Amino acid sequence: MKTIFEKSNGADGINLTDESLDFSFMNCNNLRLGKIGLPQIGELDVMRHYKELSDRNFCIEKGFYPLGSCTMKYNPKVNELLSTLEGFSSIHPLSDDESSQGALELMFNLQEALKKITGMDAVTLQPSAGAHGELTGMMIIKKYFETNGENRKKVIIPDSAHGTNPASAKMCGFDIVEIKSNSKGQVDIDELRSVLDADVAAIMMTNPNTLGIFEENVLEISDLMHKNGSLLYYDGANFNAIMGYTNPKLMGFDVVHLNLHKTMATPHGGGGPGAGPVAVVEKLRDFLPSPIIEFDGKKYSRNYCIKHSIGSVKSFYGNFGVLVRAYAYILMMGKNLKCASENAVLNANYLKEKLKRHYILPYDEPCMHEFVITGEKQKNNNGVSTLNIAKALMDENTHPPTVYFPLIVHEAIMIEPTESETKEKMDEFVDIMIKISKEAESNPEKIISAPHTTPVKRVDETSAARHPDLKYTEE
Ligand SMILES: *Cc1c(COP(=O)(O)O)cnc(C)c1O
């Protein structure tokens, strides 16, 4: 497909220079003298160009999107609509409390709802992503110890953790202590005991972890940590698995972040705005970023005077549009949030049981909302790697699952169907996975050279990420 610059044919789509305007008042040194270099093409051709481009995108509206850890579920469009209501979208972040009562009420109510869902005692809505929530949480933990006159330096992180966990702790100046998972894919308690000392500030855990497995010993772990004077951080990116069934407070955690753009109705991916609210137990309340939204029974207000606050982590109070979507979703679902988790877990177990007959399942345990299989059999028998399988799925109008993560599983294929898929759609996916596995034996070349139907075939993924070439230069 040609770029829009290459399609430029000199047509006068729109004329940006109005000759009748007098620019003599402007400093002529600031005026552009040469041509602006925009493509010239008719309006209809512009629309066709961008429609063709957008049709190349894959999205949940187009097909199955089982991208593990990312919770690519269907986000009801009504939440989109609500977040664009003029009263929400046109409000200025600097309006005073008096004229922003509705928006403040919404944020206050969302704080209360998230307190209920997490079991925690106080919430900040400020962080704008999961990783940003982690950073906020680790800053809170750091300041907590400093305020108590302790200088604890270490943070323990299991080897199955998402890469943002060690990155966030490191950014706060902590030293990372990695611990190995046991044969059940869970935190190894003996290994944990062996690294625990007075210098440990916290452990960062994800539960269910990134293998989709619930950490059975979480209560013993929180007991051990608290007896050591350490805190527990809960990476809540996998909250879709537990809503209404349990919560991080019951498991003994002190700080938790949620990914509203995974669990709570904001479309995820494409780098769009997200929200990573952080909830804490009572003793950490005074360390939250400001402002916190408060209600005195009559008026909603922003409280900027928080005793030991780590300061603001974002301008104003977070990505408000995402907060509106989340609040609308929570109200709409009510007690049925529990059903969302129930169905997410049921769907994942259904797929896992079907697929384990054709792909190796390294941890054959009941899973939560996601699970990890591997392409090791296909690789060893026929030289077809997990990457090849992922590419072959693209030829079947299916988004590939997350691959090569978590790092502790070779040739990992991490599948998260979410609650929003039907049994029929999952059966279709199973059939496709079986077809690919069979083809890996009968015609491995076809899988190895996939994809065959996409506009772009194989890209150098490392260069694409590290040296993106985003600028069009005329030959
Ligand atoms: C997605 C994810 C994160 C990071 O969240 P972002 O919003 O992408 O920054 C952290 N941990 C886990 C387990 C995740 O799945």
Side-chain angles (χ1 to χ4, degrees):
M1 186 179 164
K2 284 184 175 171
T3 66
I4 191 138
F5 291 90
E6 287 157 342
K7 286 183 181 169
S8 179
N9 58 12
D12 238 353
I14 184 168
N15 190 352
L16 290 173
T17 41
D18 184 346
E19 309 290 337
S20 68
L21 289 178
D22 178 11
F23 291 110
S24 58
F25 68 93
M26 287 178 79
N27 181 342
C28 58
N29 290 333
N30 293 337
L31 290 179
R32 186 196 298 273
L33 298 174
K35 282 200 158 190
I36 192 167
L38 289 176
Q40 287 192 288
I41 178 171
E43 186 172 326
L44 179 56
D45 292 329
V46 171
M47 288 199 300
R48 286 186 177 146
H49 176 78
Y50 286 107
K51 178 74 174 79
E52 196 185 336
L53 274 182
S54 82
D55 283 347
R56 292 176 168 207
N57 281 333
F58 191 87
C59 51
I60 186 84
E61 288 83 357
K62 247 184 172 173
F64 195 49
Y65 207 142
L67 192 66
S69 212
C70 291
T71 313
M72 305 302 285
K73 63 191 194 182
Y74 171 67
N75 295 300
K77 297 293 176 245
V78 65
N79 302 311
E80 289 298 310
L81 189 72
L82 292 172
S83 73
T84 58
L85 288 179
E86 206 186 338
F88 292 134
S89 62
S90 300
I91 190 167
H92 195 282
L94 285 176
S95 335
D96 58 14
D97 287 353
E98 207 62 57
S99 53
S100 324
Q101 284 295 298
L104 293 177
E105 180 179 355
L106 185 145
M107 285 190 284
F108 178 82
N109 288 349
L110 180 60
Q111 284 176 184
E112 293 300 302
L114 296 182
K115 272 159 67 174
K116 220 173 207 170
I117 291 167
T118 59
M120 294 286 167
D121 302 309
V123 173
T124 170
L125 301 174
Q126 240 185 18
S128 56
H132 198 196
E134 291 169 26
L135 182 69
T136 305
M138 295 321 283
M139 287 165 76
I140 289 172
I141 288 173
K142 185 155 197 194
K143 187 127 192 222
Y144 167 78
F145 282 115
E146 275 170 16
T147 307
N148 290 340
E150 285 192 71
N151 182 24
R152 294 185 179 232
K153 286 206 181 65
K154 295 190 216 161
V155 169
I156 299 173
I157 304 181
D159 58 0
S160 60
H162 195 268
T164 50
N165 289 190
S168 303
K170 190 83 196 165
M171 279 181 79
C172 284
F174 287 114
D175 295 330
I176 314 301
V177 181
E178 187 180 273
I179 51 169
K180 294 227 172 329
S181 305
N182 63 19
S183 59
K184 288 174 96 181
Q186 302 180 26
V187 167
D188 189 324
I189 301 255
D190 292 330
E191 171 112 0
L192 175 61
R193 269 203 199 92
S194 73
V195 298
L196 212 50
D197 61 28
D199 212 14
V200 171
I203 185 170
M204 292 180 92
M205 278 178 74
T206 313
N207 197 20
N209 62 30
T210 61
L211 292 164
I213 295 172
F214 193 85
E215 298 278 356
E216 291 166 353
N217 300 319
V218 65
L219 292 179
E220 197 181 338
I221 294 171
S222 63
D223 211 38
L224 261 178
M225 296 304 295
H226 285 145
K227 281 197 178 124
N228 192 55
S230 315
L231 297 176
L232 288 95
Y233 184 93
Y234 182 92
D235 176 336
N238 289 343
F239 224 90
N240 212 45
I242 63 158
M243 286 185 292
Y245 274 90
T246 182
N247 67 49
K249 179 75 165 295
L250 290 171
M251 299 179 214
F253 286 88
D254 303 288
V255 189
V256 44
H257 86 256
L258 294 172
N259 294 55
L260 297 189
H261 46 292
K262 289 179 181 170
T263 319
M264 304 283 182
T266 280
H268 177 206
V278 169
V280 296
V281 292
E282 191 59 43
K283 68 177 174 190
L284 298 176
R285 177 194 290 275
D286 287 343
F287 297 87
L288 286 173
S290 64
I292 298 294
I293 315 302
E294 292 182 346
F295 183 53
D296 65 5
K298 277 196 192 125
K299 250 189 67 180
Y300 297 91
S301 58
R302 283 163 277 202
N303 180 2
Y304 286 89
C305 305
I306 297 161
K307 202 166 158 200
H308 299 297
S309 176
I310 57 165
S312 288
V313 293
K314 188 174 185 340
S315 51
F316 308 111
Y317 12 73
N319 284 326
F320 183 64
V322 180
L323 305 181
V324 176
R325 289 180 182 91
Y327 183 57
Y329 179 72
I330 290 170
L331 283 189
M332 189 172 78
M333 296 291 281
K335 288 203 169 79
N336 284 331
L337 278 178
K338 198 171 171 175
C339 300
S341 288
E342 196 171 299
N343 286 325
V345 173
L346 182 62
N347 279 359
N349 277 286
Y350 178 75
L351 272 187
K352 170 176 67 70
E353 290 304 308
K354 291 254 168 179
L355 288 176
K356 77 179 190 188
R357 296 172 207 158
H358 306 273
Y359 292 82
I360 291 173
L361 177 68
Y363 298 96
D364 196 354
E365 303 272 331
C367 68
M368 297 295 283
H369 66 313
E370 64 191 0
F371 61 98
V372 178
I373 53 172
T374 88
E376 264 196 311
K377 189 171 81 185
Q378 287 74 9
K379 174 133 190 203
N380 293 338
N381 292 351
N382 309 99
V384 172
S385 70
T386 281
L387 185 69
N388 300 144
I389 294 168
K391 298 291 182 194
L393 279 167
M394 294 164 78
D395 284 332
E396 304 285 348
N397 190 37
T398 299
H399 195 287
T402 296
V403 292
Y404 299 103
F405 177 77
L407 304 177
I408 52 174
V409 176
H410 293 298
E411 299 294 316
I413 303 175
M414 183 194 212
I415 297 171
E416 178 180 10
T418 82
E419 71 276 17
S420 47
E421 297 295 345
T422 59
K423 177 174 174 296
E424 289 73 21
K425 195 72 197 168
M426 291 192 295
D427 286 337
E428 214 178 275
F429 175 68
V430 170
D431 289 343
I432 293 169
M433 288 294 283
I434 294 172
K435 181 177 148 195
I436 291 174
S437 174
K438 285 192 174 145
E439 241 162 13
E441 279 180 32
S442 62
N443 187 7
E445 259 321 299
K446 184 174 170 207
I447 308 295
I448 290 169
S449 56
H452 303 280
T453 58
T454 55
V456 177
K457 301 289 181 289
R458 290 274 175 139
V459 291
D460 179 338
E461 318 223 347
T462 314
S463 312
R466 302 223 169 121
H467 309 286
D469 180 6
L470 304 174
K471 194 168 150 221
Y472 174 74
T473 39
E474 227 165 326
E475 299 292 291

mmCIF file of all heavy atoms in Angstrom, residues 69-70 129-132 134 162 164-165 206 210 235 237-238 257 259 261-262 268, ligand 1:
data_model
loop_
_atom_site.group_PDB
_atom_site.id
_atom_site.type_symbol
_atom_site.label_atom_id
_atom_site.label_comp_id
_atom_site.label_asym_id
_atom_site.label_seq_id
_atom_site.Cartn_x
_atom_site.Cartn_y
_atom_site.Cartn_z
ATOM 1 N N SER A 69 -2.418 -11.999 30.263
ATOM 2 C CA SER A 69 -1.975 -10.943 31.177
ATOM 3 C C SER A 69 -2.569 -9.577 30.815
ATOM 4 O O SER A 69 -2.516 -8.659 31.605
ATOM 5 C CB SER A 69 -0.445 -10.833 31.219
ATOM 6 O OG SER A 69 -0.051 -10.425 32.516
ATOM 7 N N CYS A 70 -3.115 -9.456 29.614
ATOM 8 C CA CYS A 70 -3.592 -8.132 29.173
ATOM 9 C C CYS A 70 -5.102 -7.951 29.297
ATOM 10 O O CYS A 70 -5.588 -6.829 29.191
ATOM 11 C CB CYS A 70 -3.163 -7.881 27.738
ATOM 12 S SG CYS A 70 -1.392 -7.657 27.591
ATOM 13 N N ALA A 129 -1.175 4.199 34.947
ATOM 14 C CA ALA A 129 -1.013 2.860 34.374
ATOM 15 C C ALA A 129 -0.637 1.902 35.494
ATOM 16 O O ALA A 129 -0.364 2.335 36.617
ATOM 17 C CB ALA A 129 0.069 2.859 33.304
ATOM 18 N N GLY A 130 -0.581 0.627 35.159
ATOM 19 C CA GLY A 130 -0.186 -0.362 36.152
ATOM 20 C C GLY A 130 1.220 -0.105 36.665
ATOM 21 O O GLY A 130 1.464 -0.035 37.882
ATOM 22 N N ALA A 131 2.162 0.074 35.743
ATOM 23 C CA ALA A 131 3.553 0.297 36.139
ATOM 24 C C ALA A 131 3.670 1.585 36.963
ATOM 25 O O ALA A 131 4.456 1.662 37.910
ATOM 26 C CB ALA A 131 4.439 0.376 34.904
ATOM 27 N N HIS A 132 2.855 2.568 36.626
ATOM 28 C CA HIS A 132 2.863 3.832 37.372
ATOM 29 C C HIS A 132 2.323 3.621 38.787
ATOM 30 O O HIS A 132 2.820 4.219 39.749
ATOM 31 C CB HIS A 132 2.019 4.859 36.604
ATOM 32 C CG HIS A 132 2.265 6.278 36.998
ATOM 33 N ND1 HIS A 132 1.398 7.283 36.660
ATOM 34 C CD2 HIS A 132 3.242 6.853 37.723
ATOM 35 C CE1 HIS A 132 1.848 8.429 37.160
ATOM 36 N NE2 HIS A 132 2.971 8.189 37.803
ATOM 37 N N GLU A 134 2.622 0.773 40.399
ATOM 38 C CA GLU A 134 3.706 0.074 41.105
ATOM 39 C C GLU A 134 4.721 1.081 41.644
ATOM 40 O O GLU A 134 5.156 0.997 42.793
ATOM 41 C CB GLU A 134 4.443 -0.873 40.145
ATOM 42 C CG GLU A 134 3.630 -2.059 39.696
ATOM 43 C CD GLU A 134 4.329 -2.792 38.552
ATOM 44 O OE1 GLU A 134 5.570 -2.706 38.444
ATOM 45 O OE2 GLU A 134 3.628 -3.430 37.747
ATOM 46 N N HIS A 162 5.968 -9.934 36.364
ATOM 47 C CA HIS A 162 5.977 -9.043 35.208
ATOM 48 C C HIS A 162 7.214 -8.149 35.312
ATOM 49 O O HIS A 162 7.572 -7.710 36.407
ATOM 50 C CB HIS A 162 4.706 -8.198 35.252
ATOM 51 C CG HIS A 162 4.379 -7.496 33.979
ATOM 52 N ND1 HIS A 162 4.796 -6.224 33.719
ATOM 53 C CD2 HIS A 162 3.662 -7.893 32.896
ATOM 54 C CE1 HIS A 162 4.334 -5.855 32.526
ATOM 55 N NE2 HIS A 162 3.653 -6.842 32.007
ATOM 56 N N THR A 164 7.724 -5.147 34.847
ATOM 57 C CA THR A 164 7.576 -3.820 35.455
ATOM 58 C C THR A 164 7.825 -3.856 36.959
ATOM 59 O O THR A 164 8.190 -2.831 37.540
ATOM 60 C CB THR A 164 6.157 -3.267 35.206
ATOM 61 O OG1 THR A 164 5.205 -4.258 35.561
ATOM 62 C CG2 THR A 164 5.972 -2.870 33.747
ATOM 63 N N ASN A 165 7.639 -5.028 37.613
ATOM 64 C CA ASN A 165 7.816 -5.098 39.066
ATOM 65 C C ASN A 165 9.251 -4.758 39.476
ATOM 66 O O ASN A 165 9.459 -3.798 40.234
ATOM 67 C CB ASN A 165 7.410 -6.469 39.627
ATOM 68 C CG ASN A 165 5.904 -6.716 39.610
ATOM 69 O OD1 ASN A 165 5.405 -7.676 40.188
ATOM 70 N ND2 ASN A 165 5.146 -5.869 38.929
ATOM 71 N N THR A 206 2.086 -11.169 42.529
ATOM 72 C CA THR A 206 0.910 -11.126 41.670
ATOM 73 C C THR A 206 0.123 -12.385 42.000
ATOM 74 O O THR A 206 0.705 -13.469 42.025
ATOM 75 C CB THR A 206 1.337 -11.149 40.188
ATOM 76 O OG1 THR A 206 2.389 -10.206 40.006
ATOM 77 C CG2 THR A 206 0.200 -10.802 39.267
ATOM 78 N N THR A 210 1.586 -14.886 37.243
ATOM 79 C CA THR A 210 1.544 -14.760 35.779
ATOM 80 C C THR A 210 1.408 -16.121 35.072
ATOM 81 O O THR A 210 1.234 -16.158 33.859
ATOM 82 C CB THR A 210 2.796 -14.039 35.239
ATOM 83 O OG1 THR A 210 3.923 -14.816 35.598
ATOM 84 C CG2 THR A 210 2.919 -12.645 35.807
ATOM 85 N N ASP A 235 0.437 -6.804 42.961
ATOM 86 C CA ASP A 235 0.257 -6.384 41.565
ATOM 87 C C ASP A 235 -1.132 -6.858 41.144
ATOM 88 O O ASP A 235 -1.363 -8.048 40.952
ATOM 89 C CB ASP A 235 1.365 -7.026 40.711
ATOM 90 C CG ASP A 235 1.212 -6.719 39.221
ATOM 91 O OD1 ASP A 235 0.077 -6.426 38.786
ATOM 92 O OD2 ASP A 235 2.218 -6.788 38.502
ATOM 93 N N ALA A 237 -2.865 -6.533 38.429
ATOM 94 C CA ALA A 237 -3.190 -6.638 36.998
ATOM 95 C C ALA A 237 -4.078 -7.843 36.714
ATOM 96 O O ALA A 237 -4.792 -7.873 35.718
ATOM 97 C CB ALA A 237 -1.917 -6.707 36.169
ATOM 98 N N ASN A 238 -4.016 -8.850 37.587
ATOM 99 C CA ASN A 238 -4.817 -10.057 37.380
ATOM 100 C C ASN A 238 -6.110 -10.044 38.194
ATOM 101 O O ASN A 238 -6.667 -11.090 38.504
ATOM 102 C CB ASN A 238 -3.989 -11.302 37.732
ATOM 103 C CG ASN A 238 -2.903 -11.555 36.691
ATOM 104 O OD1 ASN A 238 -2.964 -11.011 35.585
ATOM 105 N ND2 ASN A 238 -1.920 -12.365 37.036
ATOM 106 N N HIS A 257 -2.159 -2.174 43.411
ATOM 107 C CA HIS A 257 -2.617 -1.337 42.295
ATOM 108 C C HIS A 257 -3.597 -2.146 41.449
ATOM 109 O O HIS A 257 -3.528 -3.368 41.416
ATOM 110 C CB HIS A 257 -1.447 -0.820 41.434
ATOM 111 C CG HIS A 257 -1.023 -1.768 40.349
ATOM 112 N ND1 HIS A 257 0.113 -2.541 40.443
ATOM 113 C CD2 HIS A 257 -1.577 -2.084 39.150
ATOM 114 C CE1 HIS A 257 0.235 -3.284 39.355
ATOM 115 N NE2 HIS A 257 -0.776 -3.037 38.552
ATOM 116 N N ASN A 259 -5.369 -2.322 37.458
ATOM 117 C CA ASN A 259 -5.290 -1.810 36.086
ATOM 118 C C ASN A 259 -6.716 -1.609 35.598
ATOM 119 O O ASN A 259 -7.346 -2.561 35.141
ATOM 120 C CB ASN A 259 -4.586 -2.805 35.164
ATOM 121 C CG ASN A 259 -3.126 -2.983 35.514
ATOM 122 O OD1 ASN A 259 -2.793 -3.310 36.656
ATOM 123 N ND2 ASN A 259 -2.246 -2.774 34.557
ATOM 124 N N HIS A 261 -7.642 -0.282 33.053
ATOM 125 C CA HIS A 261 -7.689 -0.543 31.615
ATOM 126 C C HIS A 261 -7.575 -2.033 31.305
ATOM 127 O O HIS A 261 -7.538 -2.413 30.145
ATOM 128 C CB HIS A 261 -6.584 0.244 30.904
ATOM 129 C CG HIS A 261 -5.260 0.144 31.583
ATOM 130 N ND1 HIS A 261 -5.022 0.710 32.799
ATOM 131 C CD2 HIS A 261 -4.118 -0.465 31.231
ATOM 132 C CE1 HIS A 261 -3.766 0.446 33.169
ATOM 133 N NE2 HIS A 261 -3.207 -0.273 32.236
ATOM 134 N N LYS A 262 -7.494 -2.890 32.310
ATOM 135 C CA LYS A 262 -7.619 -4.317 32.043
ATOM 136 C C LYS A 262 -8.949 -4.819 32.596
ATOM 137 O O LYS A 262 -9.710 -5.454 31.892
ATOM 138 C CB LYS A 262 -6.457 -5.086 32.691
ATOM 139 C CG LYS A 262 -5.141 -4.853 31.991
ATOM 140 C CD LYS A 262 -3.970 -5.593 32.622
ATOM 141 C CE LYS A 262 -2.693 -5.262 31.861
ATOM 142 N NZ LYS A 262 -1.481 -5.745 32.552
ATOM 143 N N HIS A 268 -7.814 -1.600 26.155
ATOM 144 C CA HIS A 268 -6.420 -1.699 26.540
ATOM 145 C C HIS A 268 -5.578 -1.961 25.301
ATOM 146 O O HIS A 268 -5.953 -2.738 24.453
ATOM 147 C CB HIS A 268 -6.292 -2.865 27.526
ATOM 148 C CG HIS A 268 -4.899 -3.151 27.960
ATOM 149 N ND1 HIS A 268 -4.513 -4.393 28.386
ATOM 150 C CD2 HIS A 268 -3.817 -2.370 28.050
ATOM 151 C CE1 HIS A 268 -3.241 -4.352 28.722
ATOM 152 N NE2 HIS A 268 -2.788 -3.141 28.521
HETATM 153 C C1 LIG B 1 -0.059 -5.301 32.469
HETATM 154 C C2 LIG B 1 0.663 -5.698 33.650
HETATM 155 C C3 LIG B 1 1.428 -4.770 34.384
HETATM 156 C C4 LIG B 1 1.696 -3.359 33.916
HETATM 157 O O1 LIG B 1 0.564 -2.596 33.666
HETATM 158 P P1 LIG B 1 0.620 -1.370 32.618
HETATM 159 O O2 LIG B 1 -0.699 -0.719 32.770
HETATM 160 O O3 LIG B 1 0.854 -1.974 31.268
HETATM 161 O O4 LIG B 1 1.746 -0.479 33.024
HETATM 162 C C5 LIG B 1 2.018 -5.202 35.552
HETATM 163 N N1 LIG B 1 1.903 -6.474 35.980
HETATM 164 C C6 LIG B 1 1.174 -7.405 35.305
HETATM 165 C C7 LIG B 1 1.068 -8.803 35.847
HETATM 166 C C8 LIG B 1 0.551 -7.045 34.116
HETATM 167 O O5 LIG B 1 -0.146 -7.966 33.440
#
